């Protein structure tokens, strides 16, 4: 049982160390900027929708 676990861990390490292609720093930075930009756009859209609905509800239910 223990030998199977050790072999599994060795195979996992070998896969990560030798067969995996890792992104370059430039690719990683580019992806991070895209995710940050998309998150900002989505946050602004949600904020605008919230503002519109708040004002609409203020008109529908005054007071």
């Amino acid at each position: 049982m223990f030998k199977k676990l050790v072999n599994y861990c060795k195979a996992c390490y070998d896969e990560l160390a030798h067969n995996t292609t890792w992104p370059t720093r430039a690719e990683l930075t580019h992806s991070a900027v895209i995710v940050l930009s998309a998150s900002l756009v989505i946050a602004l859209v949600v904020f605008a929708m919230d503002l519109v609905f708040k004002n609409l509800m203020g008109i529908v239910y005054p007071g």
Side-chain angles (χ1 to χ4, degrees):
M1 175 73 176
F2 185 69
K3 189 174 183 177
K4 282 185 177 182
L5 181 64
V6 170
N7 285 339
Y8 175 75
C9 290
K10 284 181 181 179
C12 289
Y13 173 78
D14 187 50
E15 178 76 24
L16 283 173
H18 303 293
N19 297 337
T20 304
T21 55
W22 298 99
T24 64
R25 187 172 192 84
E27 291 171 333
L28 208 55
T29 304
H30 183 260
S31 296
V33 167
I34 293 207
V35 168
L36 185 63
S37 301
S39 298
L40 197 72
V41 167
I42 291 170
L44 289 173
V45 167
V46 169
F47 176 74
M49 289 172 58
D50 183 53
L51 200 60
V52 167
F53 285 126
K54 178 185 168 194
N55 291 332
L56 188 62
M57 289 298 117
I59 293 169
V60 173
Y61 300 109

